[in-house]
Amino acid sequence: MTAQEPLAYDAFVELAAADSAVVGLVLKGSRAHEGMTTEHSDHDLYVVLADGAKTDLTRFTGHRTPELDLVVLSLDEFRNAGMPGFERYALARARIVLDRLDGVIARILADKARLAPGEAFREAGEWLDAYANSLYRSVKNDRDGHALAARLDAADSIRFLLELLFALDRRPRPYNKYLEWELARFPLPGWDTELLLDAANHISATGDVSTQRRLFAQVEEAARQAGHGAVLDAWGEDLHLMRRRKARGSVERTAYSEPRPYYLGEA
């Protein structure tokens, strides 16, 4: 078998497992998400080598076909992969095919799946500010008759909102493809998954201001419970434009309930 020959996943796993330089094999992507594979799904495989090890398997570095994508890297490089970076979620939900280090590979993946308290608090504050910024622009553009700009800003705000909500739970945000999969199996504490996804879908599609304001009221409650009141208060009088106008005596269902201080005061 050479780097130029077609590679089947099972055949490569057998080859790699027979090489003592390989200390871990980790499968990511749709193959690691139960129920997400299709006829078009390939195998995305990390090949983790012992630090300083020499092996002919390095000839497969960068191998990419419709059947098999390989990332060949050292154990130290694997520890740092996605920390930070777009690969973090993929590795957080990756499946271990081989772990020769008595659980070390599993612990590395667990570390990627859980943001440190200070890291999560800092990122949540940044994403909250970005969310508020896009929300404010959307509502203001709607007020001023700029319909397209209002919808585009509303769609942008959902991206920042999702980053925020997952950071509040100390988790990397899933890719859009896996958002529903993730929330069905690992709901965000205090949030009604169905209502949250419905609101995100409606806001992204229409930029509806009333829905944005209702959702912001719930986000504001959760953010203040988590210790991010200063980020919101920095918006001053502009908060009035973002907040909902609730009719007296009305009752509405909300996506967020049972607020709790996730890591209040931790930085």
Side-chain angles (χ1 to χ4, degrees):
M1 183 183 294
T2 69
Q4 287 72 40
E5 293 175 350
L7 279 173
Y9 169 75
D10 290 336
F12 180 81
V13 167
E14 182 178 355
L15 177 69
D19 191 322
S20 61
V22 177
V23 295
L25 295 172
V26 175
L27 186 67
K28 66 170 187 172
S30 58
R31 297 280 180 180
H33 288 72
E34 183 181 0
M36 291 296 293
T37 57
T38 72
E39 60 182 312
H40 306 292
S41 298
D42 62 359
H43 294 80
D44 296 296
L45 189 68
Y46 271 79
V47 183
V48 186
L49 306 177
D51 291 326
K54 303 296 183 182
T55 172
D56 288 341
L57 291 181
T58 54
R59 73 187 187 276
F60 295 111
T61 299
H63 178 88
R64 185 179 178 87
T65 69
E67 160 72 11
L68 180 64
D69 290 351
L70 297 176
V71 178
V72 183
L73 72 179
S74 69
L75 180 62
D76 190 53
E77 290 171 331
F78 182 65
R79 289 182 192 277
N80 293 324
M83 302 289 280
F86 69 94
E87 285 287 89
R88 185 163 188 172
Y89 174 77
L91 290 168
R93 293 294 179 216
R95 180 165 66 84
I96 296 173
V97 178
L98 175 69
D99 184 350
R100 279 205 176 100
L101 300 177
D102 297 324
V104 169
I105 300 296
R107 287 193 291 274
I108 291 174
L109 294 182
D111 287 342
K112 297 179 190 298
R114 194 72 174 158
L115 278 63
E119 175 189 17
F121 189 87
R122 180 180 65 256
E123 289 193 5
E126 293 170 354
W127 291 122
L128 174 60
D129 195 50
Y131 165 63
N133 186 288
S134 287
L135 169 63
Y136 174 73
R137 290 176 181 275
S138 177
V139 175
K140 186 171 66 170
N141 280 324
D142 179 81
R143 179 198 64 189
D144 296 340
H146 305 301
L148 176 60
R151 289 196 302 273
L152 292 175
D153 286 326
D156 285 345
S157 77
I158 295 302
R159 173 204 164 196
F160 300 132
L161 170 65
L162 292 172
E163 295 280 6
L164 163 64
L165 296 185
F166 279 94
L168 287 174
D169 198 36
R170 294 177 53 189
R171 291 154 61 183
R173 177 199 161 178
Y175 307 145
N176 292 332
K177 176 180 179 180
Y178 301 121
L179 177 62
E180 293 175 279
W181 184 97
E182 178 78 13
L183 291 178
R185 291 158 178 78
F186 310 99
L188 290 164
W191 288 90
D192 182 300
T193 294
E194 182 181 358
L195 292 178
L196 176 61
L197 290 177
D198 283 348
N201 182 44
H202 186 60
I203 290 169
S204 296
T206 69
D208 181 64
V209 169
S210 62
T211 304
Q212 291 194 72
R213 282 174 169 157
R214 285 197 300 272
L215 184 58
F216 177 71
Q218 299 159 52
V219 173
E220 181 174 7
E221 182 181 4
R224 290 189 184 278
Q225 284 286 330
H228 295 287
V231 175
L232 292 164
D233 292 339
W235 281 88
E237 294 298 313
D238 291 335
L239 284 173
H240 296 307
L241 192 63
M242 304 182 215
R243 287 173 172 154
R244 64 184 172 182
R245 275 73 165 162
K246 184 178 178 183
R248 182 173 298 178
S250 64
V251 177
E252 60 187 20
R253 294 179 66 200
T254 62
Y256 181 70
S257 62
E258 301 178 5
R260 65 185 180 91
Y262 294 90
Y263 35 83
L264 186 60
E266 297 181 13

